[in-house]
Amino acid sequence: MTARPDIFLAGLDEPQIQALVEGRHGDPFSVLGQHSAGPGSITRVFLPGAMAVELLNRETGASLGKLELVHPDGLFAGYGEHSGTHRLRIFWPDAVQETEDPYSFGLLLGDLDLHLIGQGTHYELSHVLGAQPMTIDGVRGVRFAVWAPNAQRVSVVGDFNSWDGRRNPMRLRPGVGIWELFIPRLGPGERYKYELIGPYGQLLPQKADPVARSSEAAPGSASIVARSDPFRWTDAEWMASRSERQSESAPISVYEVHVGSWLRIPEDENRSLDWGELSNRLIPYVKGLGFTHIELLPIMEHPFGGSWGYQPLGLFAPTGRYGTPEDFAGFIDRCHEAGIGVILDWVPAHFPTDVFGLAQFDGTALYEHQDPREGFHQDWNTLIYNLGRNEVKGFLIASALDWLERYHIDALRVDAVASMLYRDYSRQAGEWIPNKYGGRENLEAIEFFKHLNSIITHRCHGAITIAEESTAWPGVTKPTEEGGLGFAFKWNMGWMHDTLHYMEQNPIYRSYNHGSFAFGMVYAYSERFILPLSHDEVVHGKGSLIRKMPGDEWQRFANLRAYFGYMWAHPGKKLLFMGAEIAQEREWNHDASLSWELLDHPLHAGVQKLVRDLNRVYADEPALHGTDSNPNGFAWAVVDDHANSVFAMLRFSKDKSSVILAVSNMTPVPRNQYRIGVPERGEWREIMNTDAAVYGGSNMGNGSVVWSEDAPSHGHPASLALTLPPLSTILLKKF
């Protein structure tokens, strides 16, 4: 390099130089890199701590001379009568490094990408923002891009630059507010964050990447550069058939799982299983019990394990607690190989306030609302996404699509939908802001759900969404083109609460609550429902399902078995939280394994066998699943016998060729010669009896066959005289 110190800093004034060396310069490309100067060019690099820097020809590696130290904090510069690509040889106190200059590369993101991000319609956001391993101009490295429109300066920091925010400041793309930088010779596995200076010159806490596809497991909080090569899927057959498998007429029985506490290894510091171990143990277990789907509590990266994933910060990153993103994809592939669908809980309602996360990301309320009456969840001490902002809405929709498309997730169960639909959710008068019409409906959330579900229907064949919506909001599962929100199914929270309240009553008092047990049928066809017995009912002092049941030990188990029988016979898809199938005695603890040792006890093993057999019968009988959303597939046979606490329902297949009679006796008193009207005379076979000895019952029942008689009853021309075992549900099929 030619020694021309008089022009090394040409065009730069002292404030600019000082801003650069102090890490406050918002336009580093205007200072660093190569700049034309007469017949040659000036090259400047800022490398705090470097002893010397040599400029090399990128193609040949030939030396172009050493750069001069022009500022003691690490600004090097030199003039040469040449221009073109170059790389750097950097002499550190304990090493020599060769790398290309990050400030020798041009613009990275295209104008269309920027336009779509600003519109909130870039549905492949994880391919554009975040950390993308790639090759540019023949150089391998990682392209970083992040949305932070109000920041004065954004830098990439990581192990590769000693977490020094002065070293790799980014270029701002004005308008949409995207910052970008290509750092050569980085690759997958690198830890990184962003360091931002806010709009008022304040240095913010280093931030994890909102669009990172891999993250450190807690308590770490760094983002990790993920691999860009696609996973090799082997589930083409499953993907082609899942639309039918997840239709409203399909048998859908869901096993809800918290991955970290399903099974722990006490011999290895009580650790959780990783995705490979879960593939080998959880998948065969679920398939053996006859469940059609596994539903995972949120596995997006989250800082606090006690939130069970419901306060996530990494909406594109599978948590590092159980392995890599590739390991997670492998688990999904194995599920599909076994014929099991995967539902993933997804949380677009709110996010935690951790300083390294989305809160005040660029020094302003960027992802959240500024006004706490709109932006703060009082129940959960979290922040609410600002769905009125295009970029935020697009961020969330891109997250949903990434799980469905990148990881072949079959369904997203959307958490806390009710909290999003109502502006006054869990708020008193004066604590919320009405919509533009003065109402309590959140118009932005309504539009968001319609947009989300329309895009998923269009792009993700066979994938569905499920709403956890706890109110009577109309049209949750109605198609968007008909004015609905467009979900495929909705959790029936009312059914869960009403029936559990009934089951908790001593049978002596159940006659006074008779209506609550059957009330779900009043609105059973207003939506397409899933009947959940979820994790929410076995935590926070509510106790386990078996502990909710009244009576002595035998009665408690008989009650639970009868309840499961009633649930599987009732219209609606099924969901059971892990542990209920073995009648877990203690309340669920996310830090402990399920009590698998209980299966040594016949009563607990009996409940597990019952769940297996209920799933088998449910899947085998079209009358029990094919008309869940069709009122012509159901009729009460007995619904008004308050005195005896007996319920009897008729289930019909779509073509009426198959008929199932389900009878529940919810008292410990056997009923002999109990007459129930049926549509036609003939042979009825008892295909399920929750009081069977194999399940731990008293083995009362009707044998294998019962014949109906020409004795009209309950509005039908024929009837059956049945033995109803105590605290039981029996299923009979017409042959």
Side-chain angles (χ1 to χ4, degrees):
M1 303 294 292
T2 304
R4 296 284 301 276
D6 55 314
I7 66 168
F8 286 166
L9 302 178
L12 303 180
D13 55 24
E14 185 61 30
Q16 281 184 292
I17 297 171
Q18 203 61 31
L20 181 72
V21 299
E22 292 175 0
R24 295 183 290 102
H25 204 294
D27 186 14
F29 280 82
S30 67
V31 178
L32 302 177
Q34 196 173 81
H35 299 267
S36 297
S41 62
I42 301 169
T43 301
R44 303 188 193 97
V45 298
F46 182 55
L47 297 166
M51 299 174 62
V53 182
E54 185 177 5
L55 200 65
L56 308 177
N57 183 287
R58 187 187 295 178
E59 285 73 28
T60 67
S63 175
L64 301 175
K66 286 194 173 183
L67 303 182
E68 300 291 327
L69 181 66
V70 297
H71 191 284
D73 285 344
L75 180 60
F76 294 83
Y79 175 83
E81 295 183 354
H82 71 280
S83 62
T85 58
H86 61 273
R87 69 175 186 262
L88 307 172
R89 179 177 290 148
I90 307 167
F91 297 86
W92 301 102
D94 55 357
V96 177
Q97 174 191 11
E98 284 196 14
T99 183
E100 288 71 23
D101 183 1
Y103 300 94
S104 65
F105 295 87
L107 299 177
L108 303 176
L109 298 187
D111 289 339
L112 179 59
D113 285 326
L114 298 175
H115 173 72
L116 293 176
I117 292 170
Q119 277 194 329
T121 56
H122 203 309
Y123 301 128
E124 297 181 356
L125 210 59
S126 68
H127 296 270
V128 179
L129 299 184
Q132 306 293 334
M134 60 178 54
T135 299
I136 298 180
D137 298 338
V139 179
R140 290 186 177 184
V142 176
R143 185 192 71 194
F144 296 90
V146 63
W147 179 55
N150 302 302
Q152 290 187 4
R153 186 270 287 162
V154 182
S155 293
V156 185
V157 295
D159 296 322
F160 47 86
N161 62 14
S162 301
W163 301 88
D164 185 344
R166 299 173 299 166
R167 290 271 301 277
N168 290 121
M170 306 173 78
R171 173 199 283 121
L172 173 64
R173 303 296 298 274
V176 70
I178 301 294
W179 298 77
E180 62 179 20
L181 185 69
F182 178 72
I183 302 183
R185 305 200 182 194
L186 295 186
E190 291 280 0
R191 300 190 311 149
Y192 73 99
K193 284 186 177 181
Y194 296 112
E195 185 182 276
L196 299 88
I197 293 179
Y200 308 109
Q202 73 276 32
L203 181 65
L204 304 177
Q206 291 179 347
K207 297 285 190 177
D209 189 344
V211 190
R213 291 188 287 108
S214 182
S215 299
E216 278 190 306
S221 59
S223 302
I224 297 175
V225 178
R227 290 167 53 181
S228 58
D229 49 318
F231 182 79
R232 294 186 177 181
W233 295 94
T234 63
D235 64 348
E237 183 178 347
W238 167 271
M239 296 295 282
S241 66
R242 71 174 179 181
S243 180
E244 181 180 349
R245 292 172 181 261
Q246 301 192 141
S247 71
E248 63 183 72
S249 60
I252 297 177
S253 182
V254 183
Y255 187 67
E256 189 188 24
V257 177
H258 177 258
V259 170
S261 59
W262 180 72
L263 176 64
R264 289 182 173 242
I265 309 299
E267 300 82 7
D268 192 3
E269 299 181 348
N270 201 39
R271 69 169 177 85
S272 302
L273 301 184
D274 61 31
W275 291 119
E277 293 167 322
L278 287 160
S279 295
N280 294 331
R281 304 190 71 168
L282 176 61
I283 294 173
Y285 179 79
V286 170
K287 186 171 181 63
L289 287 182
F291 288 97
T292 65
H293 287 70
I294 294 173
E295 179 169 333
L296 303 176
L297 271 62
I299 52 84
M300 297 81 181
E301 195 57 76
H302 50 283
F304 176 48
S307 77
W308 317 324
Y310 288 104
Q311 294 190 12
L313 281 175
L315 258 65
F316 294 79
T319 177
R321 291 169 171 85
Y322 316 120
T324 67
E326 292 74 27
D327 296 333
F328 175 63
F331 172 78
I332 305 301
D333 205 40
R334 290 278 298 276
C335 285
H336 290 169
E337 180 184 359
I340 296 172
V342 181
I343 302 170
L344 188 58
D345 280 14
W346 182 65
V347 187
H350 60 128
F351 58 90
T353 60
D354 300 70
V355 295
F356 63 85
L358 300 177
Q360 293 282 309
F361 187 80
D362 64 356
T364 68
L366 190 63
Y367 287 88
E368 68 270 35
H369 292 271
Q370 177 68 40
D371 193 321
R373 292 176 295 173
E374 293 183 285
F376 186 72
H377 252 308
Q378 300 176 117
D379 291 352
W380 303 311
N381 293 320
T382 53
L383 299 172
I384 300 171
Y385 287 105
N386 182 358
L387 296 176
R389 188 159 196 165
N390 286 340
E391 298 91 339
V392 175
K393 181 175 67 176
F395 168 80
L396 291 171
I397 292 175
S399 164
L401 291 172
D402 206 56
W403 296 106
L404 297 172
E405 295 178 340
R406 186 187 301 277
Y407 293 108
H408 289 199
I409 295 298
D410 301 295
L412 295 177
R413 178 269 200 183
V414 183
D415 184 62
V417 169
S419 76
M420 300 173 68
L421 290 173
Y422 298 96
R423 286 178 163 266
D424 63 346
Y425 181 86
S426 196
R427 295 179 187 272
Q428 302 298 319
E431 295 178 346
W432 59 282
I433 299 176
N435 63 34
K436 62 183 180 181
Y437 302 113
R440 60 197 287 251
E441 300 82 6
N442 190 322
L443 304 179
E444 294 80 10
I446 296 169
E447 192 278 332
F448 167 75
F449 286 129
K450 290 181 177 181
H451 190 171
L452 169 74
N453 288 320
S454 295
I455 292 297
I456 289 175
T457 299
H458 175 70
R459 288 179 61 118
C460 307
H461 177 71
I464 62 173
T465 56
I466 301 164
E468 188 225 11
E469 201 284 308
S470 56
T471 73
W473 185 278
V476 172
T477 59
K478 193 175 183 179
T480 55
E481 59 269 23
E482 298 177 17
L485 296 184
F487 289 92
F489 295 101
K490 169 181 169 175
W491 273 21
N492 195 334
M493 312 288 280
W495 177 91
M496 177 173 66
H497 295 147
D498 289 345
T499 57
L500 279 175
H501 174 72
Y502 177 88
M503 292 304 301
E504 289 172 347
Q505 303 296 313
N506 187 303
I508 296 174
Y509 304 113
R510 283 179 178 167
S511 61
Y512 303 106
N513 295 275
H514 192 82
S516 65
F517 202 54
F519 184 70
M521 287 310 305
V522 171
Y523 57 88
Y525 302 107
S526 62
E527 303 280 3
R528 292 187 295 273
F529 283 119
I530 291 176
L531 308 181
L533 290 176
S534 74
H535 65 280
D536 280 327
E537 299 310 307
V538 293
V539 290
H540 302 322
K542 295 178 183 177
S544 65
L545 287 184
I546 189 66
R547 286 293 177 185
K548 297 178 192 292
M549 302 297 119
D552 59 23
E553 181 183 60
W554 189 92
Q555 290 186 358
R556 288 193 298 115
F557 279 85
N559 269 300
L560 184 62
R561 294 193 304 266
Y563 184 36
F564 283 169
Y566 180 80
M567 173 180 174
W568 260 257
H570 193 286
K573 310 311 179 185
K574 323 302 175 190
L575 180 140
L576 194 65
F577 183 58
M578 65 180 199
E581 83 281 8
I582 62 172
Q584 169 110 352
E585 292 277 1
R586 60 172 173 78
E587 187 175 85
W588 171 52
N589 176 4
H590 66 272
D591 286 327
S593 180
L594 295 181
S595 303
W596 295 107
E597 69 279 1
L598 293 175
L599 289 175
D600 293 332
H601 191 296
L603 286 175
H604 292 275
V607 172
Q608 187 188 55
K609 291 174 185 175
L610 174 68
V611 170
R612 177 198 64 197
D613 290 348
L614 283 170
N615 277 330
R616 175 183 53 79
V617 171
Y618 169 66
D620 288 347
E621 299 296 339
L624 291 179
H625 64 256
T627 54
D628 277 330
S629 301
N630 184 346
N632 294 324
F634 174 89
W636 282 114
V638 177
V639 71
D640 57 354
D641 190 354
H642 297 70
N644 293 311
S645 297
V646 171
F647 302 84
M649 63 181 83
L650 289 162
R651 299 293 308 276
F652 304 93
S653 61
K654 187 175 182 181
D655 60 4
K656 299 297 178 73
S657 64
S658 177
V659 184
I660 301 288
L661 173 66
V663 188
S664 298
N665 174 16
M666 289 304 180
T667 71
V669 180
R671 309 291 175 188
N672 295 307
Q673 294 295 303
Y674 191 96
R675 189 164 294 278
I676 298 177
V678 291
E680 54 187 295
R681 63 170 302 173
E683 177 186 342
W684 294 73
R685 294 183 188 175
E686 190 174 88
I687 61 173
M688 172 59 62
N689 182 345
T690 67
D691 190 53
V694 70
Y695 306 135
S698 65
N699 218 30
M700 288 186 67
N702 299 276
S704 59
V705 177
V706 184
W707 289 86
S708 59
E709 306 170 8
D710 286 328
S713 183
H714 300 103
H716 292 289
S719 60
L720 294 165
L722 299 174
T723 296
L724 305 186
L727 295 171
S728 68
T729 296
I730 59 173
L731 273 62
L732 299 104
K733 180 179 179 180
K734 172 67 174 63
F735 279 83

